[in-house]
Amino acid sequence: MRKIFLSIACLVVLAACNNQKTVESTADSKETSEIAAVDTASAPAFKFEKEVYDFGKITDGDVVTYDFKFKNIGNSPLIISSATASCGCTVPEYPKEPIAPGAEGVIRVVFNSAGKPGMQNKIVSITANTIPSLTELNILGMVDAAKAK
Protein backbone atom coordinates (compact mmCIF):
# COMPACT_ATOMS: atom_id res chain seq x y z
CA MET A 1 0.00 0.00 0.00
CA ARG A 2 2.82 2.33 0.89
CA LYS A 3 4.52 1.76 -2.54
CA ILE A 4 1.29 2.59 -4.36
CA PHE A 5 0.85 5.82 -2.36
CA LEU A 6 4.46 6.89 -3.09
CA SER A 7 4.05 6.09 -6.79
CA ILE A 8 0.85 8.16 -7.00
CA ALA A 9 2.55 11.04 -5.14
CA CYS A 10 5.47 10.94 -7.56
CA LEU A 11 3.12 10.98 -10.56
CA VAL A 12 1.29 13.99 -9.16
CA VAL A 13 4.56 15.86 -8.62
CA LEU A 14 5.85 14.94 -12.09
CA ALA A 15 2.58 15.91 -13.71
CA ALA A 16 2.64 19.25 -11.91
CA CYS A 17 6.20 19.90 -13.10
CA ASN A 18 5.31 19.09 -16.70
CA ASN A 19 2.34 21.46 -16.72
CA GLN A 20 4.39 24.59 -16.10
CA LYS A 21 4.27 27.01 -18.99
CA THR A 22 7.33 28.80 -20.25
CA VAL A 23 6.78 32.21 -21.76
CA GLU A 24 9.63 33.69 -23.70
CA SER A 25 9.57 37.32 -24.68
CA THR A 26 10.82 38.09 -28.16
CA ALA A 27 12.42 41.26 -26.80
CA ASP A 28 14.42 39.22 -24.28
CA SER A 29 15.52 36.82 -27.01
CA LYS A 30 16.69 39.69 -29.19
CA GLU A 31 18.72 41.24 -26.35
CA THR A 32 20.33 37.90 -25.56
CA SER A 33 21.29 37.27 -29.17
CA GLU A 34 22.72 40.78 -29.49
CA ILE A 35 24.85 40.25 -26.38
CA ALA A 36 26.05 36.88 -27.69
CA ALA A 37 26.92 38.35 -31.10
CA VAL A 38 30.29 39.94 -30.39
CA ASP A 39 32.00 41.75 -33.23
CA THR A 40 35.11 39.62 -33.59
CA ALA A 41 36.42 41.77 -36.46
CA SER A 42 36.96 44.77 -34.19
CA ALA A 43 38.11 42.85 -31.11
CA PRO A 44 41.71 43.09 -29.89
CA ALA A 45 43.88 39.99 -30.21
CA PHE A 46 47.17 38.72 -28.78
CA LYS A 47 49.94 37.51 -31.07
CA PHE A 48 52.75 36.15 -28.87
CA GLU A 49 56.26 35.54 -30.20
CA LYS A 50 56.24 32.46 -27.96
CA GLU A 51 53.54 31.02 -25.65
CA VAL A 52 55.78 28.40 -24.02
CA TYR A 53 59.21 29.09 -22.56
CA ASP A 54 61.46 26.17 -21.59
CA PHE A 55 64.15 27.39 -19.19
CA GLY A 56 66.00 24.07 -19.43
CA LYS A 57 67.86 22.80 -16.35
CA ILE A 58 68.44 24.97 -13.32
CA THR A 59 69.40 24.37 -9.69
CA ASP A 60 66.95 24.56 -6.80
CA GLY A 61 66.94 28.19 -5.62
CA ASP A 62 67.63 29.77 -9.01
CA VAL A 63 65.27 32.49 -10.21
CA VAL A 64 64.23 32.56 -13.88
CA THR A 65 62.77 35.63 -15.59
CA TYR A 66 61.22 35.57 -19.06
CA ASP A 67 59.50 38.28 -21.09
CA PHE A 68 56.58 37.02 -23.18
CA LYS A 69 56.48 39.61 -25.99
CA PHE A 70 53.21 40.18 -27.81
CA LYS A 71 51.55 42.41 -30.36
CA ASN A 72 47.92 43.52 -30.48
CA ILE A 73 46.91 42.33 -33.95
CA GLY A 74 43.28 43.35 -33.41
CA ASN A 75 41.45 46.52 -34.36
CA SER A 76 40.79 48.02 -30.92
CA PRO A 77 42.81 48.63 -27.74
CA LEU A 78 43.80 45.48 -25.84
CA ILE A 79 43.16 45.71 -22.10
CA ILE A 80 44.60 43.09 -19.75
CA SER A 81 42.48 42.88 -16.60
CA SER A 82 44.52 40.23 -14.76
CA ALA A 83 47.43 37.82 -14.94
CA THR A 84 47.61 34.96 -12.44
CA ALA A 85 49.94 32.00 -12.05
CA SER A 86 49.23 28.40 -11.08
CA CYS A 87 51.67 28.67 -8.15
CA GLY A 88 52.88 31.35 -5.75
CA CYS A 89 56.44 30.69 -6.93
CA THR A 90 55.56 32.26 -10.30
CA VAL A 91 54.75 35.96 -10.53
CA PRO A 92 53.50 37.61 -13.74
CA GLU A 93 53.77 41.36 -14.39
CA TYR A 94 51.61 42.82 -17.15
CA PRO A 95 50.95 46.25 -18.72
CA LYS A 96 48.15 48.11 -16.94
CA GLU A 97 47.56 50.59 -19.78
CA PRO A 98 45.66 49.69 -22.98
CA ILE A 99 47.78 48.37 -25.85
CA ALA A 100 46.79 50.13 -29.09
CA PRO A 101 46.16 48.15 -32.28
CA GLY A 102 49.54 47.29 -33.83
CA ALA A 103 51.41 48.14 -30.62
CA GLU A 104 53.56 45.70 -28.66
CA GLY A 105 53.74 44.78 -25.00
CA VAL A 106 55.46 42.42 -22.58
CA ILE A 107 54.25 40.08 -19.87
CA ARG A 108 57.20 39.41 -17.57
CA VAL A 109 57.11 36.12 -15.65
CA VAL A 110 59.43 35.44 -12.71
CA PHE A 111 59.78 31.85 -11.44
CA ASN A 112 61.51 31.17 -8.10
CA SER A 113 62.62 27.53 -8.02
CA ALA A 114 63.39 27.41 -4.27
CA GLY A 115 61.95 24.19 -2.88
CA LYS A 116 60.63 23.08 -6.29
CA PRO A 117 62.86 20.18 -7.41
CA GLY A 118 61.79 18.14 -10.41
CA MET A 119 59.99 18.88 -13.66
CA GLN A 120 58.09 22.18 -13.56
CA ASN A 121 55.28 23.47 -15.79
CA LYS A 122 53.80 26.71 -14.50
CA ILE A 123 50.74 28.19 -16.21
CA VAL A 124 50.12 31.92 -16.37
CA SER A 125 46.49 32.79 -17.14
CA ILE A 126 45.91 36.15 -18.84
CA THR A 127 42.41 37.65 -18.80
CA ALA A 128 41.83 40.40 -21.36
CA ASN A 129 39.14 41.88 -23.60
CA THR A 130 40.10 39.41 -26.34
CA ILE A 131 38.08 36.55 -27.84
CA PRO A 132 38.43 34.20 -26.02
CA SER A 133 39.04 36.25 -22.89
CA LEU A 134 41.50 33.75 -21.37
CA THR A 135 44.98 33.11 -22.78
CA GLU A 136 47.48 30.74 -21.17
CA LEU A 137 51.27 30.96 -21.21
CA ASN A 138 53.63 28.26 -19.92
CA ILE A 139 57.05 28.37 -18.32
CA LEU A 140 58.67 24.99 -17.86
CA GLY A 141 61.90 23.17 -17.18
CA MET A 142 63.80 20.89 -14.80
CA VAL A 143 64.89 21.99 -11.34
CA ASP A 144 67.79 19.92 -9.98
CA ALA A 145 68.00 19.54 -6.22
CA ALA A 146 70.64 21.74 -4.61
CA LYS A 147 73.87 19.92 -3.86
CA ALA A 148 74.78 19.54 -0.18
CA LYS A 149 77.96 21.39 0.82
Side-chain angles (χ1 to χ4, degrees), residues 1 10 16 28-29 32 34 36 41 45 48 61 67 71 79 97 111 123 127 136 140 143:
M1 179 80 166
C10 287
D28 289 343
S29 296
T32 304
E34 286 175 3
F48 282 92
D67 289 341
K71 183 175 186 176
I79 301 168
E97 69 282 345
F111 168 66
I123 300 169
T127 304
E136 291 184 344
L140 55 97
V143 178

Side-chain angles (χ1 to χ4, degrees), residues 24-77:
E24 187 175 312
S25 164
T26 55
D28 289 343
S29 296
K30 184 178 179 185
E31 284 180 25
T32 304
S33 64
E34 286 175 3
I35 291 170
V38 177
D39 184 10
T40 57
S42 65
F46 281 115
K47 175 64 176 162
F48 282 92
E49 286 182 1
K50 194 183 240 194
E51 292 183 20
V52 176
Y53 173 66
D54 184 344
F55 57 78
K57 248 185 189 187
I58 61 173
T59 303
D60 188 339
D62 289 349
V63 176
V64 175
T65 301
Y66 185 74
D67 289 341
F68 287 94
K69 297 175 183 173
F70 67 90
K71 183 175 186 176
N72 177 2
I73 60 169
N75 296 315
S76 61

